[in-house]
Amino acid sequence: MNVGDYDFELPERLIAQTPLSDRASSRLLVLHKDSGQVEHRSFKDLADYLMPGDTLVLNDTKVIPARLFGRKADTGAKAEVLLLKALGDDRWEALVRPGKKLHKGAALHFGETEDSVKPLLAAVVEEEGEMGARTIRFRYDGIFNEILDRLGEMPLPPYIKERLEDRDRYQTVYAQNEGSAAAPTAGLHFTEDFLRELQGRGIAVCRVTLHVGLGTFRPVSVDNVLEHKMHEEWYGVDAENAAMLNRARQAGTRIVAVGTTSARTLETLGQRFGDRPIEACSGWTGIFIYPGYEFRLVSALLTNFHLPKSTLVMLVSALAGREAVLAAYREAVAAEYRFFSFGDAMFIT
């Protein structure tokens, strides 16, 4: 269970910097988990691998413009804040830059009003946490989400160097519940027309919510996988979608997760309810899925290609086997698939 066992070589040129003009025009690598067989297809061919009665589970979280650029109130030095988790009472868990200079008590200003004196948004660092996290309390006049929409930028991953011209391209077409610091990127491939086509074929479309935060993209800083601790993220499912999952379980049909965030939400529900019917619920999950894990709900997974040595590579390896996954990744590199958030897709069936 060494983290290095999940490493692979990836040429930097294969890291997708911009989304394709047509969401559904990506390539699709299909990995058959029982045999290890790999097929090279197009994303819309996903319809050929889904069957009537399958339940496709989407994460309907919506990314907020969570990256704020401002200045320290006392020195005017530049400061950056990435919002991760709403804690209530205008308090947020966040990552900050420069971390070595933004300690407890530091005051920050973002934006300016017309008189150029009072900032649109002010903040103070209240607590210092693990892995560079901070608890920040905001002060403002008006509605916070409107101010954030005006001042904030989409929190693209650090490996994306190109500027995103269209903010909506870092949202799924079904994004609904605001709260994520990153997009559930497997869902970026879907168009509304393709989802309707799948439903017309008898495939049920279910929605859950997991607000993507530090738990999804925090790097693994230990050598032993078992020593890594996931950061908790908020999840929820309503009564209507819980009933859809229960029908799928009762019928014995496949539950297909769209993305690792949907998979982790489903498995959290599986652990929470066991063999009992799933009920509408919400809460916090720090579930960590790695090889040896026995899946309770997820039968198949649509996902993107992930960072080497990441918890996400470990999750897909838990479903399909480490050797099969790394072999598929090597084949994807050789075939020059596009990797990571704006890259191509992989279907594990």
Side-chain angles (χ1 to χ4, degrees), residues 18 67 77 83 98 130 144 147 156 173 199 259 301 308 345:
T18 56
R67 194 178 298 279
L83 304 180
E130 298 179 354
F144 181 76
I147 296 171
L156 297 179
V173 295
Q199 288 177 296
L301 172 68

Side-chain angles (χ1 to χ4, degrees), residues 150-220:
R150 176 175 174 181
L151 298 180
E153 294 188 7
M154 279 300 188
L156 297 179
Y159 50 76
I160 294 179
K161 311 299 183 185
E162 298 289 332
R163 183 178 178 84
L164 182 64
E165 298 299 332
D166 181 3
R167 222 186 237 193
D168 287 341
R169 289 299 277 109
Y170 196 58
Q171 301 278 19
T172 63
V173 295
Y174 47 81
Q176 184 173 350
N177 295 309
E178 290 189 339
S180 274
T185 54
L188 295 178
H189 302 282
F190 286 95
T191 63
E192 292 175 347
D193 286 344
F194 187 50
L195 283 171
R196 281 193 292 268
E197 177 186 335
L198 295 178
Q199 288 177 296
R201 293 179 176 225
I203 296 155
V205 175
C206 173
R207 297 176 181 234
V208 297
T209 304
L210 183 134
H211 291 323
V212 187
L214 188 59
T216 293
F217 54 84
R218 172 183 168 186
V220 179

Side-chain angles (χ1 to χ4, degrees), residues 31 33-34 50-51 54-59 186 206 208 210 244-246 248-249 252-271 274 278 287 289-290 293-303 312 314-321 346-349:
L31 172 60
K33 61 179 184 286
D34 291 336
L50 298 176
M51 300 174 287
D54 282 350
T55 298
L56 196 67
V57 182
L58 315 175
N59 179 9
C206 173
V208 297
L210 183 134
M244 292 181 67
L245 294 174
N246 289 327
R249 294 176 83 184
T253 53
R254 293 194 306 173
I255 295 176
V256 181
V258 175
T260 56
T261 60
S262 295
R264 289 193 295 119
T265 305
L266 288 166
E267 292 305 307
T268 297
L269 294 172
Q271 291 187 0
I278 297 168
I287 191 170
I289 298 174
Y290 51 85
Y293 178 87
E294 293 186 9
F295 285 85
R296 296 169 180 260
L297 292 181
V298 175
S299 303
L301 172 68
L302 177 74
T303 185
L312 305 182
M314 296 172 198
L315 186 154
V316 297
S317 296
L319 185 63
M346 178 180 189
F347 185 54
I348 299 174
T349 183

Side-chain angles (χ1 to χ4, degrees), residues 324-344:
V325 167
L326 292 181
Y329 269 52
R330 288 192 294 270
E331 193 161 333
V333 169
E336 298 198 333
Y337 276 70
R338 302 166 77 246
F339 273 67
F340 305 159
S341 293
F342 288 139
D344 295 314

Side-chain angles (χ1 to χ4, degrees), residues 93-137:
E93 180 183 61
L95 295 178
V96 300
R97 288 183 182 176
K100 293 182 179 180
K101 295 184 178 181
L102 296 176
H103 299 293
K104 184 176 180 178
L108 305 172
H109 287 173
F110 306 93
E112 297 179 346
T113 54
E114 292 181 358
D115 58 16
S116 298
V117 176
K118 183 180 179 182
L120 286 174
L121 191 62
V124 63
V125 177
E126 289 194 336
E127 298 175 19
E128 298 182 44
E130 298 179 354
M131 298 294 294
R134 301 287 190 274
T135 298
I136 294 178
R137 185 185 294 273

